[in-house]
Protein backbone atom coordinates (compact mmCIF):
# COMPACT_ATOMS: atom_id res chain seq x y z
CA UNK A 1 0.00 0.00 0.00
CA UNK A 2 1.39 3.38 -1.01
CA UNK A 3 2.22 5.69 1.90
CA UNK A 4 0.40 9.04 2.04
CA UNK A 5 2.91 10.52 4.48
CA UNK A 6 4.35 13.82 3.16
CA UNK A 7 8.01 13.69 2.12
CA UNK A 8 10.74 14.93 4.44
CA UNK A 9 10.04 16.51 7.80
CA UNK A 10 9.90 19.88 9.49
CA UNK A 11 11.70 20.23 12.79
CA UNK A 12 9.67 20.39 16.04
CA UNK A 13 8.91 23.73 17.64
CA UNK A 14 11.75 24.83 19.92
CA UNK A 15 12.01 27.17 22.93
CA UNK A 16 14.91 28.61 24.89
CA UNK A 17 15.23 28.41 28.68
CA UNK A 18 12.89 31.42 29.06
CA UNK A 19 10.32 29.67 26.87
CA UNK A 20 10.88 32.02 23.93
CA UNK A 21 10.34 30.37 20.56
CA UNK A 22 13.61 30.03 18.69
CA UNK A 23 15.21 28.84 15.47
CA UNK A 24 18.48 28.91 13.55
CA UNK A 25 19.45 31.84 11.32
CA UNK A 26 22.27 31.75 8.79
CA UNK A 27 22.38 35.47 8.01
CA UNK A 28 20.39 38.69 7.65
CA UNK A 29 20.55 41.14 4.76
CA UNK A 30 18.89 44.49 5.35
CA UNK A 31 19.01 45.88 1.81
CA UNK A 32 18.23 42.91 -0.42
CA UNK A 33 17.11 43.91 -3.90
CA UNK A 34 16.70 40.51 -5.60
CA UNK A 35 14.46 38.64 -3.13
CA UNK A 36 11.02 39.96 -4.00
CA UNK A 37 9.56 43.36 -4.86
CA UNK A 38 11.42 46.46 -3.74
CA UNK A 39 14.02 46.58 -0.99
CA UNK A 40 13.76 43.65 1.39
CA UNK A 41 14.80 42.62 4.85
CA UNK A 42 16.01 39.12 3.91
CA UNK A 43 16.22 36.53 6.66
CA UNK A 44 18.19 33.45 5.61
CA UNK A 45 17.47 30.52 7.90
CA UNK A 46 19.61 27.41 8.05
CA UNK A 47 18.74 23.81 7.32
CA UNK A 48 18.01 22.25 3.92
CA UNK A 49 17.26 18.74 2.73
CA UNK A 50 18.27 19.47 -0.86
CA UNK A 51 21.82 19.07 -2.13
CA UNK A 52 21.71 21.18 -5.28
CA UNK A 53 24.86 20.92 -7.40
CA UNK A 54 24.99 24.68 -7.90
CA UNK A 55 24.16 25.71 -4.31
CA UNK A 56 26.03 28.90 -3.42
CA UNK A 57 25.38 28.53 0.31
CA UNK A 58 26.16 24.89 1.21
CA UNK A 59 26.95 26.14 4.71
CA UNK A 60 23.17 26.50 5.18
CA UNK A 61 22.52 22.78 4.74
CA UNK A 62 23.10 21.82 8.34
CA UNK A 63 20.57 23.31 10.73
CA UNK A 64 22.97 23.92 13.59
CA UNK A 65 25.48 25.73 11.39
CA UNK A 66 23.20 28.71 11.94
CA UNK A 67 23.08 30.98 14.97
CA UNK A 68 20.24 30.50 17.45
CA UNK A 69 17.75 33.40 17.41
CA UNK A 70 14.48 33.83 19.24
CA UNK A 71 11.49 35.12 17.32
CA UNK A 72 11.66 38.18 19.54
CA UNK A 73 15.29 38.83 18.56
CA UNK A 74 14.38 38.69 14.87
CA UNK A 75 11.45 41.03 15.46
CA UNK A 76 13.70 43.48 17.30
CA UNK A 77 15.94 43.67 14.22
CA UNK A 78 13.02 43.85 11.83
CA UNK A 79 11.34 46.70 13.74
CA UNK A 80 14.39 48.91 13.16
CA UNK A 81 13.57 49.00 9.44
CA UNK A 82 9.78 48.53 9.49
CA UNK A 83 8.81 52.12 8.64
CA UNK A 84 11.06 52.09 5.58
CA UNK A 85 10.07 48.55 4.56
CA UNK A 86 6.36 49.35 4.61
CA UNK A 87 7.03 51.88 1.85
CA UNK A 88 9.98 50.33 0.00
CA UNK A 89 9.55 46.55 0.11
CA UNK A 90 9.05 44.10 2.94
CA UNK A 91 10.29 40.90 4.53
CA UNK A 92 11.57 37.85 2.65
CA UNK A 93 12.45 34.60 4.42
CA UNK A 94 14.81 32.36 2.48
CA UNK A 95 17.39 29.74 3.32
CA UNK A 96 18.45 27.02 3.28
CA UNK A 97 14.87 25.85 3.10
CA UNK A 98 12.55 27.94 5.31
CA UNK A 99 9.82 25.31 5.57
CA UNK A 100 12.23 23.04 7.41
CA UNK A 101 11.77 25.50 10.32
CA UNK A 102 8.09 26.13 9.62
CA UNK A 103 7.11 26.84 13.26
CA UNK A 104 9.80 29.49 13.65
CA UNK A 105 9.28 31.00 10.20
CA UNK A 106 5.50 30.97 10.49
CA UNK A 107 5.56 32.92 13.75
CA UNK A 108 7.87 35.55 12.26
CA UNK A 109 5.57 35.94 9.27
CA UNK A 110 2.53 36.20 11.55
CA UNK A 111 4.06 38.98 13.63
CA UNK A 112 5.56 40.80 10.64
CA UNK A 113 2.18 40.87 8.94
CA UNK A 114 -0.09 41.52 11.91
CA UNK A 115 2.10 43.78 14.04
CA UNK A 116 4.26 45.57 11.47
CA UNK A 117 1.94 45.42 8.42
CA UNK A 118 4.79 44.33 6.14
CA UNK A 119 4.62 42.70 2.73
CA UNK A 120 5.92 39.16 3.19
CA UNK A 121 7.58 36.75 0.78
CA UNK A 122 8.63 33.12 1.17
CA UNK A 123 11.48 31.73 -0.93
CA UNK A 124 11.05 27.94 -1.10
CA UNK A 125 11.13 24.88 -3.33
CA UNK A 126 7.94 23.66 -1.63
CA UNK A 127 9.18 20.13 -0.92
CA UNK A 128 7.88 20.22 2.67
CA UNK A 129 4.68 22.19 2.08
CA UNK A 130 2.39 19.16 2.41
CA UNK A 131 3.15 19.17 6.15
CA UNK A 132 1.38 22.55 6.48
CA UNK A 133 -2.29 23.49 6.15
CA UNK A 134 -3.45 26.36 3.96
CA UNK A 135 -3.85 28.65 6.97
CA UNK A 136 -0.07 28.62 7.51
CA UNK A 137 0.26 30.63 4.29
CA UNK A 138 -2.28 33.31 5.28
CA UNK A 139 0.53 35.62 6.41
CA UNK A 140 2.54 35.08 3.21
CA UNK A 141 1.80 37.60 0.46
CA UNK A 142 4.11 36.15 -2.20
CA UNK A 143 5.83 32.82 -2.81
CA UNK A 144 9.14 32.78 -4.66
CA UNK A 145 8.92 29.22 -5.92
CA UNK A 146 12.12 27.50 -7.05
CA UNK A 147 11.39 25.02 -9.82
CA UNK A 148 14.82 23.73 -10.70
CA UNK A 149 13.95 21.50 -13.66
CA UNK A 150 10.95 20.10 -15.53
CA UNK A 151 12.27 16.57 -16.03
CA UNK A 152 11.88 14.36 -12.92
CA UNK A 153 15.07 12.34 -13.53
CA UNK A 154 17.21 15.40 -14.25
CA UNK A 155 15.63 17.25 -11.32
CA UNK A 156 16.62 14.53 -8.88
CA UNK A 157 20.13 14.34 -10.32
CA UNK A 158 20.45 18.10 -9.80
CA UNK A 159 18.88 18.37 -6.34
CA UNK A 160 18.89 14.86 -4.77
CA UNK A 161 15.11 15.11 -4.22
CA UNK A 162 12.01 14.26 -6.30
CA UNK A 163 10.22 16.90 -8.37
CA UNK A 164 6.59 15.95 -7.70
CA UNK A 165 6.20 17.59 -4.25
CA UNK A 166 7.22 20.92 -5.77
CA UNK A 167 4.68 20.56 -8.59
CA UNK A 168 2.02 19.54 -6.08
CA UNK A 169 2.75 22.72 -4.15
CA UNK A 170 2.59 24.84 -7.31
CA UNK A 171 -0.87 23.48 -8.06
CA UNK A 172 -1.95 24.03 -4.46
CA UNK A 173 -0.81 27.66 -4.64
CA UNK A 174 -2.86 28.08 -7.80
CA UNK A 175 -5.98 26.80 -6.01
CA UNK A 176 -5.25 29.16 -3.12
CA UNK A 177 -4.81 32.09 -5.50
CA UNK A 178 -1.47 32.88 -3.90
CA UNK A 179 0.78 35.15 -5.99
CA UNK A 180 3.91 33.34 -7.21
CA UNK A 181 7.20 34.30 -8.79
CA UNK A 182 8.80 31.21 -10.29
CA UNK A 183 12.59 31.05 -10.12
CA UNK A 184 14.49 28.99 -12.66
CA UNK A 185 18.28 28.72 -12.52
CA UNK A 186 19.66 28.40 -16.03
CA UNK A 187 22.69 26.07 -16.12
CA UNK A 188 24.33 25.29 -19.47
CA UNK A 189 24.23 21.57 -20.18
CA UNK A 190 21.83 20.88 -17.29
CA UNK A 191 18.72 23.06 -17.41
CA UNK A 192 19.00 24.72 -20.82
CA UNK A 193 17.55 21.98 -23.03
CA UNK A 194 14.95 23.55 -25.33
CA UNK A 195 12.35 20.83 -24.84
CA UNK A 196 12.77 20.80 -21.04
CA UNK A 197 12.14 24.55 -20.93
CA UNK A 198 9.15 24.14 -23.25
CA UNK A 199 7.70 21.57 -20.87
CA UNK A 200 7.99 23.90 -17.89
CA UNK A 201 6.60 26.85 -19.83
CA UNK A 202 3.61 24.79 -20.94
CA UNK A 203 3.06 23.63 -17.36
CA UNK A 204 3.04 27.21 -16.01
CA UNK A 205 1.01 28.80 -18.82
CA UNK A 206 -2.51 28.11 -17.43
CA UNK A 207 -1.63 29.19 -13.87
CA UNK A 208 -3.15 32.66 -13.46
CA UNK A 209 -1.37 33.28 -10.14
CA UNK A 210 2.12 33.25 -11.74
CA UNK A 211 3.14 36.91 -11.74
CA UNK A 212 6.56 36.38 -13.29
CA UNK A 213 9.24 33.85 -14.15
CA UNK A 214 12.75 34.82 -13.12
CA UNK A 215 15.40 33.17 -15.27
CA UNK A 216 18.52 33.28 -13.09
CA UNK A 217 21.86 32.74 -14.87
CA UNK A 218 24.06 30.14 -13.18
CA UNK A 219 27.16 31.45 -11.40
CA UNK A 220 29.94 29.86 -9.35
CA UNK A 221 30.07 32.40 -6.52
CA UNK A 222 29.66 29.64 -3.94
CA UNK A 223 32.42 27.37 -5.26
CA UNK A 224 34.90 28.53 -2.61
CA UNK A 225 32.48 27.55 0.16
CA UNK A 226 32.39 23.99 -1.13
CA UNK A 227 36.19 23.90 -0.92
CA UNK A 228 36.13 25.33 2.61
CA UNK A 229 33.71 22.59 3.65
CA UNK A 230 35.90 19.90 2.06
CA UNK A 231 33.32 19.02 -0.60
CA UNK A 232 33.81 18.46 -4.30
CA UNK A 233 32.13 21.06 -6.50
CA UNK A 234 30.83 19.20 -9.56
CA UNK A 235 30.26 22.26 -11.77
CA UNK A 236 33.79 23.69 -11.83
CA UNK A 237 33.98 23.41 -15.61
CA UNK A 238 30.46 24.76 -16.21
CA UNK A 239 30.34 28.29 -17.59
CA UNK A 240 27.69 30.92 -16.99
CA UNK A 241 25.09 31.05 -19.78
CA UNK A 242 25.52 33.55 -22.59
CA UNK A 243 23.05 36.42 -22.83
CA UNK A 244 21.80 34.84 -26.06
CA UNK A 245 20.92 31.66 -24.19
CA UNK A 246 19.30 33.57 -21.34
CA UNK A 247 17.14 35.51 -23.80
CA UNK A 248 16.18 32.36 -25.70
CA UNK A 249 14.91 30.77 -22.48
CA UNK A 250 13.12 33.93 -21.39
CA UNK A 251 11.44 34.11 -24.79
CA UNK A 252 10.17 30.55 -24.37
CA UNK A 253 8.28 31.68 -21.28
CA UNK A 254 7.17 34.97 -22.87
CA UNK A 255 5.64 33.06 -25.78
CA UNK A 256 3.22 31.54 -23.22
CA UNK A 257 2.22 34.99 -22.01
CA UNK A 258 4.34 34.80 -18.89
CA UNK A 259 6.08 37.95 -17.71
CA UNK A 260 9.78 37.07 -17.60
CA UNK A 261 12.90 38.74 -16.34
Amino acid sequence: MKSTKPPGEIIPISFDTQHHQQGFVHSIETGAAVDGPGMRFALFVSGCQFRCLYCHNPDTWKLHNGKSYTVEAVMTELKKYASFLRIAGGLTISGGEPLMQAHFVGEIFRRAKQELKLHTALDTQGFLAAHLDDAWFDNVDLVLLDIKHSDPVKYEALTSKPLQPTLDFAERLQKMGKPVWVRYVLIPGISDDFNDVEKLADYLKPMKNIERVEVLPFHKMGESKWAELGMKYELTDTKSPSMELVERVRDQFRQRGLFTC
Side-chain angles (χ1 to χ4, degrees), residues 120-238:
T120 56
L122 171 70
D123 182 8
T124 180
Q125 20 76 2
F127 180 73
L128 299 172
H131 291 271
L132 305 169
D133 60 23
D134 287 357
W136 190 94
F137 298 94
D138 286 348
N139 295 305
V140 177
D141 294 312
L142 172 69
V143 176
L144 309 176
L145 182 60
D146 302 309
I147 303 182
K148 303 170 190 293
H149 213 291
S150 66
D151 181 272
V153 174
K154 295 176 183 178
Y155 184 97
E156 191 156 351
L158 177 61
T159 70
S160 82
K161 297 296 179 185
L163 170 61
Q164 194 58 48
T166 295
L167 300 184
D168 291 343
F169 183 50
E171 290 163 19
R172 182 179 168 193
L173 290 170
Q174 178 185 209
K175 291 175 183 176
M176 292 166 61
K178 187 69 66 176
V180 170
W181 291 8
V182 171
R183 290 181 148 184
Y184 186 73
V185 177
L186 180 59
I187 313 168
I190 294 179
S191 60
D192 62 339
D193 180 82
F194 184 89
N195 291 330
D196 289 336
V197 176
E198 290 284 279
K199 183 177 178 181
L200 179 58
D202 285 337
Y203 176 78
L204 297 175
K205 179 181 178 180
M207 296 185 175
K208 303 305 182 185
N209 62 320
I210 306 295
E211 294 187 344
R212 67 171 63 189
V213 178
E214 296 185 322
V215 177
L216 306 175
F218 163 75
H219 62 74
K220 294 188 282 187
M221 290 171 60
E223 185 173 8
S224 61
K225 290 186 179 181
W226 287 69
E228 290 168 7
L229 294 169
M231 301 188 302
K232 183 181 179 182
Y233 187 72
E234 301 287 347
L235 303 181
T236 295
D237 297 328
T238 302

Side-chain angles (χ1 to χ4, degrees), residues 4 17 24 38 49 59 61 72 119 142 155 242 253:
T4 57
T17 54
F24 292 93
Q49 294 163 319
D59 49 327
W61 290 353
E72 195 60 50
H119 179 276
L142 172 69
Y155 184 97
S242 66
F253 290 110

Side-chain angles (χ1 to χ4, degrees), residues 58-75:
D59 49 327
T60 65
W61 290 353
K62 293 184 179 180
L63 185 70
H64 294 89
N65 279 354
K67 180 181 178 182
S68 179
Y69 271 73
T70 63
V71 171
E72 195 60 50
V74 173
M75 292 301 297

Side-chain angles (χ1 to χ4, degrees), residues 86-105:
R86 275 193 290 272
I87 300 168
L91 165 69
T92 297
I93 303 185
S94 185
E97 170 45 56
L99 296 187
M100 193 169 171
Q101 298 192 66
H103 299 292
F104 178 62
V105 168

Side-chain angles (χ1 to χ4, degrees), residues 36-73:
M39 297 296 291
R40 316 292 293 181
F41 182 104
L43 180 73
F44 297 91
V45 297
S46 59
C48 187
Q49 294 163 319
F50 277 43
R51 296 295 180 263
C52 299
L53 296 182
Y54 60 81
C55 181
H56 58 273
N57 283 319
D59 49 327
T60 65
W61 290 353
K62 293 184 179 180
L63 185 70
H64 294 89
N65 279 354
K67 180 181 178 182
S68 179
Y69 271 73
T70 63
V71 171
E72 195 60 50

